[in-house]
């Protein structure tokens, strides 16, 4: 069985050795800034402060340090500074894909790939880069021009990366859905874009089953009248007829020219189509992966994801720093929960990323990776996707590797980067994200728009970032963009998460602020409740919401799913209530505890607190949740049934 230690929030778990600090990419960058720019910082807090107070100086340093290639030089770092509408590097012309492929080294692997029925193998750079250039010329021959949309219905396979990079290299715009999406969910997304080309597979394998998607593809094609070309992707790169050309030229585009479109989770209405630019993604990912995650040439980067989650885009960016992405197509639990750890061993992964929900599954199964696998190359693990409690942080040190660096991160699809995350030169404390990221002016704001420390507030970004969305697709006057992010604090990005910063700069992302638990004026992050309740056996998962009642009252139900064969009884209820009262406050204790078969989640693993809250307030389920964006569409049925007891029909 795995080792489980009782740890408290803020307990010191790991300190980087002097050798590790000296060899960190961040240390080299700090020295370069002092030598080349005359900016001397005694430690990370000073470096961060400079990065958000002198945006021009910091981002010019990032540009110069990484040697960004352009065919036309920018006239400034920032033209317009106001948000929304900040103008970065006006006049610059560049191409994102060119920077990814400049990592090309013949005789080495560009990508490692494995699936449920395919052993792990490498894709040599000669093959990978040749296919990108050949496919790009093929798209040009089909009439695809800069600004045209090219979409994919593809699993996490090398062909998806090739198609994305080929699209980007000619200035067209990429968007993708994973094939576990049903056709209505795909059309909710792609129909907004009027795409010209669709790449697709006919089937994918998951959980030991081959899943035919030909009917879904037909429905998608029928629903996209703008399509001019529908291209089936073969099962291997070798079968793809896109031979490398003798001559190839990248299309250089303005800094903010659309690179790809990512979609919000789609839990409430039609998903927002977030447009990200070539230059913004390039600079943010260079900074994030090299300085904050300490990745370098030859590293092997494994993050379990699908093509429909932002982390796939993160993974596809890893060659920017010379790292090798490790792609896996299949279930993380088939044939058992060892599959990803075995992949980490076989790929000699130096970086392993996963979600806290996967860690909880592994914990409950008693899997101890360090006892079963050789993880000696592993330097960094990054839990991301939902709040990470102290027990999750400690679990990695006790069950994976005692000298691993747990670089917890949090950011968003909205900006395609991390707002807060790892710093290789700082200690790791239980349940705490190490610091705010360079160039990210993240603060906790109270209702009056004042920055607070050691208090829960709204996560805001007070200064522009290069990878903030260029716009929302189809939002011609920018109204939806302003309403989504700038309505509460004009000129300041409100992200929609509860956030706390402590005195040493450690950060805590405490769940969506729209799902706020506000009882008698005290704001409670849902992550606190989950951390406590999900430590009670046999609780599997929990979801809590708070409803404001007429007359100023509150009703806070807690929903729990239990391990197989268990039922909620008076003793378990008493244990949950007592633990919440002991570990937090009486305000954390729910008004009712209800057992449900499953906790609803989006496909990217986020608990659907906001849709559940709206259902309990009486909204019809079809108006608040897209079943095609859910991991298990049936999981909302119990909540609809419970809502009927709160709102009986006259």
């Amino acid at each position: 069985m795995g080792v489980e230690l009782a740890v408290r929030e803020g307990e010191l778990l790991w300190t980087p050795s002097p050798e590790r600090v000296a060899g960190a990419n961040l240390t080299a960058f700090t020295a370069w800034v002092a030598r080349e720019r005359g900016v001397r910082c005694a430690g990370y807090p000073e470096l961060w402060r400079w990065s958000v107070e002198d945006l021009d100086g910091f981002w010019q340093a990032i540009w110069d340090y990484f040697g960004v290639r352009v065919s036309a030089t920018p006239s400034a770092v920032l033209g317009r500074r106001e948000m929304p509408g900040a103008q970065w590097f006006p006049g610059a012309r560049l191409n994102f894909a060119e920077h990814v492929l400049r990592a090309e080294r013949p005789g080495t692997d560009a990508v490692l790939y494995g699936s449920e029925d395919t052993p792990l193998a490498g894709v040599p750079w000669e093959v990978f880069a040749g296919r990108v250039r050949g496919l790009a010329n093929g798209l040009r021959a089909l009439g695809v021009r800069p600004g045209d949309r090219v979409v994919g219905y593809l699993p996490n396979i090398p062909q998806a990366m090739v198609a994305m990079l080929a699209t980007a290299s000619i200035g067209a715009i990429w968007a993708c859905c994973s094939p576990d999406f049903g056709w209505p969910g795909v059309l909710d997304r792609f129909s907004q874009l009027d795409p010209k080309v669709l790449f697709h597979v006919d089937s994918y394998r998951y959980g030991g089953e081959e899943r035919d998607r030909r009917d879904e593809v037909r429905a998608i094609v029928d629903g996209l009248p703008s399509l001019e070309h529908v291209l089936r992707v073969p099962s291997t790169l070798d079968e793809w007829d896109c031979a490398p050309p003798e001559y190839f030229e990248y299309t250089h585009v303005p800094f903010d020219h659309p690179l790809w479109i990512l979609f919000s989770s789609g839990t409430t209405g039609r998903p927002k189509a977030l447009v990200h630019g070539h230059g913004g993604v390039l600079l943010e990912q260079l900074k994030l992966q090299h300085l904050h995650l300490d990745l370098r040439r030859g590293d092997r980067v494994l993050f379990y994801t699908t093509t429909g989650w932002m982390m796939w885009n993160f993974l596809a960016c890893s060659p920017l720093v010379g790292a090798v992405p490790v792609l896996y197509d299949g279930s993380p639990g088939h044939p058992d929960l060892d599959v990803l750890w075995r992949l980490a061993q076989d790929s000699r992964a130096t970086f392993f990323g996963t979600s806290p929900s996967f860690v909880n599954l592994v914990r409950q199964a008693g899997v101890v990776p360090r006892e079963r696998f050789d993880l000696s190359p592993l330097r960094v693990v990054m839990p991301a996707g939902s709040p990470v409690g102290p027990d999750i942080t400690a679990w990695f040190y006790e069950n994976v590797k005692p000298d691993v660096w747990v670089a917890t991160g949090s950011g968003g699809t909205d900006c395609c980067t991390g707002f807060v995350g790892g710093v290789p030169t700082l200690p790791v404390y239980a349940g705490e994200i190490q610091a705010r990221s360079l160039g990210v002016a993240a603060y906790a704001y109270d209702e009056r728009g004042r920055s607070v420390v050691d208090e829960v507030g709204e996560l805001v970004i007070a200064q522009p970032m290069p990878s903030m969305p260029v716009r929302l697709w189809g939002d011609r006057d920018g109204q939806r963009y302003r309403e989504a992010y700038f309505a509460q604090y004009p000129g300041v990005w409100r992200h929609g998460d509860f956030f706390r910063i402590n005195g040493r700069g450690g950060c805590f992302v405490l769940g969506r602020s729209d799902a706020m638990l506000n009882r008698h004026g005290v704001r409670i992050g849902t992550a606190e409740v989950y951390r406590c309740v999900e430590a009670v056996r046999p609780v599997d998962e929990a979801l809590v919401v708070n409803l404001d009642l007429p007359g100023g009252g509150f009703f806070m139900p807690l929903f729990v799913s239990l391990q197989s064969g268990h039922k909620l009884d008076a003793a378990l209820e008493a244990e949950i209530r007592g633990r919440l009262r002991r570990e937090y406050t009486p305000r954390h204790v729910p008004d009712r505890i209800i057992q449900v078969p499953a906790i609803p989640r989006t496909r990217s693993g986020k608990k659907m607190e906001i849709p559940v809250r709206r259902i309990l307030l009486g909204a019809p389920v079809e108006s608040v949740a897209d079943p095609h964006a859910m991991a298990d569409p049936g999981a909302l049925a119990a909540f609809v049934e419970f809502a009927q007891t709160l709102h009986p029909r006259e």
Side-chain angles (χ1 to χ4, degrees), residues 359-570:
V359 174
N360 276 325
L361 287 174
V362 173
R363 290 171 64 195
Q364 291 168 11
V367 174
V368 184
R370 63 175 169 78
E371 294 179 353
R372 305 191 193 191
F373 303 103
D374 175 12
L375 301 175
S376 54
L378 189 63
R379 296 196 326 270
V380 190
V381 296
M382 185 173 79
S386 58
V388 178
D391 51 339
I392 296 287
T393 322
W395 181 87
F396 283 106
Y397 287 104
E398 296 299 327
N399 295 276
V400 176
K401 200 176 181 187
D403 64 342
V404 75
W405 166 37
V406 181
T408 305
S410 183
T413 299
D414 314 74
C415 294
C416 199
T417 191
F419 299 138
V420 294
V423 178
T425 58
L426 294 181
V428 172
Y429 298 93
E432 187 172 314
I433 301 172
Q434 286 174 287
R436 291 170 281 188
S437 297
L438 295 173
V440 183
Y443 300 93
Y445 269 19
D446 65 13
E447 294 91 340
R448 298 182 184 180
R450 300 174 302 188
S451 175
V452 295
V453 176
D454 281 324
E455 294 181 28
V456 175
E458 289 277 356
L459 171 58
V460 303
I461 312 298
Q463 297 287 347
M465 295 168 53
S467 69
M468 283 177 171
V470 175
R471 62 181 184 276
L472 304 184
W473 192 265
D475 182 28
R476 295 187 183 278
D477 61 1
Q479 181 177 349
R480 289 182 61 214
Y481 190 7
R482 290 190 296 273
E483 289 176 349
Y485 302 108
F486 298 98
Q488 184 165 346
Y489 307 108
V492 174
W493 173 288
R494 173 186 171 271
H495 191 60
D497 278 339
F498 269 140
F499 186 53
R500 177 163 61 89
I501 305 170
N502 63 21
R504 62 169 166 254
C507 301
F508 305 82
V509 177
L510 301 169
R512 294 295 294 173
S513 56
D514 291 341
M516 173 176 59
L517 309 179
N518 186 340
R519 307 191 86 198
H520 311 289
V522 176
R523 295 191 291 180
I524 302 167
T526 55
E528 294 177 334
V529 176
Y530 302 149
R531 187 159 59 237
C532 182
V533 173
E534 291 174 0
V536 176
R537 296 293 178 261
V539 175
D540 189 12
E541 285 191 299
L543 185 146
V544 65
V545 296
N546 190 56
L547 310 179
D548 297 313
L549 302 178
F554 305 94
F555 175 59
M556 191 171 88
L558 171 69
F559 300 91
V560 295
S561 65
L562 305 182
Q563 294 170 8
S564 179
H566 291 271
K567 289 189 176 181
L568 182 67
D569 56 20

Side-chain angles (χ1 to χ4, degrees), residues 262-280:
L262 302 183
F263 297 95
S264 63
S265 60
T267 55
T268 57
R270 208 176 194 194
K272 295 193 295 290
L274 302 150
V275 181
H276 293 124
H278 276 244

